[in-house]
Amino acid sequence: MIELKNITRIYSTGGAEVRALDGIDMTIENGEFVAVMGSSGSGKSTTMNILGCLDAPSSGSYLFEGLEVTSLSRSQKARLRRRYLGFVFQGFNLLSRTTALENVELPLVYRGLGKKERRNMAYAALDKVGLADRAMHTTTEMSGGQQQRVAIARAIVCNPFLLLADEPTGNLDSARSNEIMQLLTSLQAEHGITVVMVTHEPEMALWASRTIEFRDGKIIKEGH
């Protein structure tokens, strides 16, 4: 599904160059669950931003399902994000005082779908994460684990090929973290969604089928 070839990302700050990524190569197969690890500044978040078409490499090649992403225009990248990618964040990024159903419907509004179709798809996504019975509850009436489930439902409502999860358990206790990891692995195993997760927690990385570790803009270790 994904192939990164000799990817570099250089930022200019205060007249100095910072090499966030230094010629990385990475391949991710369809249906894999990959954990990306590394300390702050290692390059893992920059890699996730490039995979999510939120940032562009300074050089190198990014192939998504055989398509050269680096040659796409900004609007083409936006369409790729909407159609093929789902995003889950540490901070949930949900609309407060808004129901779970309305939060999950939001990506479908941007796709121009009608109200009935949006509602049916949003209910189906909430059912996948075990929250169909909480659809009409606001996010302020939910626990942190439930809010993250709503965020995951929102990420999968458009049936993405790739789910990018950035520290999805970072704001949760260990019990809720394990619930979220069980959910992500079931989405990968039962629905064939490819999952790439950034985490700094080794115990969370153990849920993945493969771990990629970054240091100083390079991949230093890969393992199953």
Side-chain angles (χ1 to χ4, degrees), residues 112-136:
L113 298 184
K115 184 176 181 179
K116 183 177 181 180
E117 187 176 5
R118 291 200 312 263
R119 187 139 294 200
N120 289 340
M121 290 177 69
Y123 266 119
L126 284 168
D127 187 52
K128 285 180 183 177
V129 302
L131 283 180
D133 61 336
R134 305 280 289 177
M136 303 312 295

Short mmCIF file of all heavy atoms in Angstrom, two decimals, residues 112-136:
data_model
loop_
_atom_site.label_atom_id
_atom_site.label_comp_id
_atom_site.label_asym_id
_atom_site.label_seq_id
_atom_site.Cartn_x
_atom_site.Cartn_y
_atom_site.Cartn_z
N GLY A 112 -20.53 15.97 0.95
CA GLY A 112 -21.77 16.37 0.29
C GLY A 112 -22.86 15.33 0.30
O GLY A 112 -23.77 15.38 -0.53
N LEU A 113 -22.81 14.38 1.24
CA LEU A 113 -23.83 13.34 1.28
C LEU A 113 -25.11 13.86 1.92
O LEU A 113 -25.09 14.76 2.76
CB LEU A 113 -23.31 12.14 2.07
CG LEU A 113 -22.08 11.43 1.52
CD1 LEU A 113 -21.76 10.20 2.35
CD2 LEU A 113 -22.25 11.05 0.06
N GLY A 114 -26.24 13.28 1.55
CA GLY A 114 -27.53 13.67 2.10
C GLY A 114 -27.68 13.24 3.55
O GLY A 114 -26.97 12.34 4.03
N LYS A 115 -28.64 13.86 4.25
CA LYS A 115 -28.79 13.65 5.69
C LYS A 115 -29.06 12.19 6.03
O LYS A 115 -28.46 11.64 6.96
CB LYS A 115 -29.92 14.53 6.22
CG LYS A 115 -30.10 14.44 7.72
CD LYS A 115 -31.16 15.41 8.22
CE LYS A 115 -31.31 15.32 9.74
NZ LYS A 115 -32.34 16.28 10.23
N LYS A 116 -29.96 11.52 5.29
CA LYS A 116 -30.29 10.14 5.60
C LYS A 116 -29.10 9.22 5.43
O LYS A 116 -28.82 8.36 6.28
CB LYS A 116 -31.45 9.67 4.73
CG LYS A 116 -31.92 8.25 5.05
CD LYS A 116 -33.12 7.84 4.20
CE LYS A 116 -33.60 6.44 4.54
NZ LYS A 116 -34.76 6.03 3.71
N GLU A 117 -28.37 9.39 4.33
CA GLU A 117 -27.19 8.55 4.08
C GLU A 117 -26.12 8.82 5.14
O GLU A 117 -25.49 7.87 5.64
CB GLU A 117 -26.63 8.82 2.68
CG GLU A 117 -25.51 7.87 2.29
CD GLU A 117 -25.03 8.07 0.87
OE1 GLU A 117 -25.49 9.03 0.20
OE2 GLU A 117 -24.18 7.28 0.42
N ARG A 118 -25.92 10.08 5.48
CA ARG A 118 -24.95 10.43 6.52
C ARG A 118 -25.30 9.75 7.84
O ARG A 118 -24.44 9.16 8.51
CB ARG A 118 -24.91 11.94 6.76
CG ARG A 118 -24.33 12.77 5.65
CD ARG A 118 -23.90 14.14 6.15
NE ARG A 118 -24.88 14.82 6.96
CZ ARG A 118 -25.74 15.73 6.52
NH1 ARG A 118 -25.75 16.05 5.23
NH2 ARG A 118 -26.58 16.33 7.34
N ARG A 119 -26.56 9.82 8.21
CA ARG A 119 -26.99 9.27 9.49
C ARG A 119 -26.81 7.76 9.52
O ARG A 119 -26.33 7.19 10.52
CB ARG A 119 -28.45 9.65 9.74
CG ARG A 119 -28.97 9.28 11.11
CD ARG A 119 -29.83 10.37 11.68
NE ARG A 119 -29.06 11.58 11.94
CZ ARG A 119 -29.46 12.55 12.78
NH1 ARG A 119 -30.60 12.43 13.42
NH2 ARG A 119 -28.72 13.61 12.97
N ASN A 120 -27.17 7.08 8.43
CA ASN A 120 -27.02 5.63 8.39
C ASN A 120 -25.55 5.21 8.49
O ASN A 120 -25.21 4.26 9.21
CB ASN A 120 -27.63 5.07 7.11
CG ASN A 120 -29.16 5.15 7.10
OD1 ASN A 120 -29.78 5.25 8.15
ND2 ASN A 120 -29.75 5.10 5.92
N MET A 121 -24.69 5.92 7.77
CA MET A 121 -23.26 5.59 7.80
C MET A 121 -22.66 5.89 9.17
O MET A 121 -21.82 5.13 9.67
CB MET A 121 -22.53 6.36 6.71
CG MET A 121 -22.86 5.89 5.29
SD MET A 121 -22.04 6.87 4.00
CE MET A 121 -20.31 6.40 4.24
N ALA A 122 -23.09 6.98 9.80
CA ALA A 122 -22.57 7.34 11.12
C ALA A 122 -23.01 6.32 12.17
O ALA A 122 -22.21 5.91 13.03
CB ALA A 122 -23.03 8.74 11.51
N TYR A 123 -24.27 5.89 12.12
CA TYR A 123 -24.74 4.84 13.04
C TYR A 123 -23.93 3.55 12.85
O TYR A 123 -23.56 2.88 13.83
CB TYR A 123 -26.22 4.56 12.82
CG TYR A 123 -27.15 5.34 13.72
CD1 TYR A 123 -28.09 6.22 13.18
CD2 TYR A 123 -27.10 5.20 15.11
CE1 TYR A 123 -28.94 6.94 14.01
CE2 TYR A 123 -27.95 5.92 15.94
CZ TYR A 123 -28.87 6.78 15.38
OH TYR A 123 -29.73 7.49 16.20
N ALA A 124 -23.67 3.21 11.60
CA ALA A 124 -22.91 1.98 11.32
C ALA A 124 -21.50 2.07 11.90
O ALA A 124 -20.97 1.09 12.46
CB ALA A 124 -22.86 1.72 9.82
N ALA A 125 -20.86 3.25 11.78
CA ALA A 125 -19.51 3.43 12.31
C ALA A 125 -19.52 3.36 13.84
O ALA A 125 -18.64 2.76 14.45
CB ALA A 125 -18.93 4.76 11.84
N LEU A 126 -20.52 3.99 14.46
CA LEU A 126 -20.62 3.92 15.92
C LEU A 126 -20.88 2.49 16.39
O LEU A 126 -20.38 2.07 17.45
CB LEU A 126 -21.73 4.85 16.41
CG LEU A 126 -21.39 6.35 16.41
CD1 LEU A 126 -22.65 7.19 16.63
CD2 LEU A 126 -20.35 6.66 17.48
N ASP A 127 -21.63 1.74 15.62
CA ASP A 127 -21.88 0.34 15.96
C ASP A 127 -20.58 -0.46 15.93
O ASP A 127 -20.35 -1.33 16.78
CB ASP A 127 -22.91 -0.25 15.00
CG ASP A 127 -23.35 -1.65 15.43
OD1 ASP A 127 -23.74 -1.82 16.60
OD2 ASP A 127 -23.29 -2.56 14.59
N LYS A 128 -19.71 -0.17 14.96
CA LYS A 128 -18.42 -0.88 14.86
C LYS A 128 -17.56 -0.66 16.09
O LYS A 128 -16.77 -1.53 16.45
CB LYS A 128 -17.67 -0.44 13.60
CG LYS A 128 -18.22 -0.99 12.30
CD LYS A 128 -17.41 -0.48 11.12
CE LYS A 128 -17.98 -0.98 9.81
NZ LYS A 128 -17.24 -0.43 8.64
N VAL A 129 -17.68 0.51 16.72
CA VAL A 129 -16.85 0.80 17.89
C VAL A 129 -17.62 0.57 19.19
O VAL A 129 -17.16 0.94 20.28
CB VAL A 129 -16.29 2.24 17.85
CG1 VAL A 129 -15.48 2.46 16.58
CG2 VAL A 129 -17.39 3.29 17.98
N GLY A 130 -18.81 -0.03 19.09
CA GLY A 130 -19.57 -0.40 20.26
C GLY A 130 -20.29 0.74 20.96
O GLY A 130 -20.56 0.67 22.17
N LEU A 131 -20.64 1.79 20.21
CA LEU A 131 -21.28 2.95 20.82
C LEU A 131 -22.59 3.35 20.15
O LEU A 131 -23.04 4.49 20.29
CB LEU A 131 -20.33 4.16 20.80
CG LEU A 131 -19.21 4.18 21.84
CD1 LEU A 131 -18.37 5.44 21.68
CD2 LEU A 131 -19.76 4.11 23.26
N ALA A 132 -23.24 2.43 19.46
CA ALA A 132 -24.50 2.77 18.80
C ALA A 132 -25.54 3.25 19.81
O ALA A 132 -26.34 4.14 19.51
CB ALA A 132 -25.02 1.56 18.02
N ASP A 133 -25.48 2.69 21.02
CA ASP A 133 -26.47 3.06 22.03
C ASP A 133 -26.18 4.42 22.66
O ASP A 133 -27.00 4.94 23.43
CB ASP A 133 -26.55 2.00 23.13
CG ASP A 133 -25.23 1.80 23.86
OD1 ASP A 133 -24.17 2.12 23.27
OD2 ASP A 133 -25.24 1.33 25.01
N ARG A 134 -25.02 5.02 22.34
CA ARG A 134 -24.67 6.33 22.88
C ARG A 134 -24.68 7.41 21.80
O ARG A 134 -24.18 8.51 22.01
CB ARG A 134 -23.27 6.28 23.52
CG ARG A 134 -23.08 5.22 24.58
CD ARG A 134 -23.65 5.63 25.91
NE ARG A 134 -22.84 6.69 26.53
CZ ARG A 134 -23.15 7.28 27.68
NH1 ARG A 134 -24.26 6.93 28.30
NH2 ARG A 134 -22.38 8.20 28.19
N ALA A 135 -25.29 7.10 20.68
CA ALA A 135 -25.23 7.98 19.52
C ALA A 135 -25.76 9.39 19.80
O ALA A 135 -25.23 10.38 19.29
CB ALA A 135 -25.98 7.37 18.35
N MET A 136 -26.80 9.50 20.62
CA MET A 136 -27.43 10.80 20.86
C MET A 136 -26.91 11.48 22.12
O MET A 136 -27.43 12.52 22.53
CB MET A 136 -28.95 10.63 20.94
CG MET A 136 -29.56 10.00 19.70
SD MET A 136 -28.98 10.74 18.13
CE MET A 136 -29.66 12.41 18.29
#
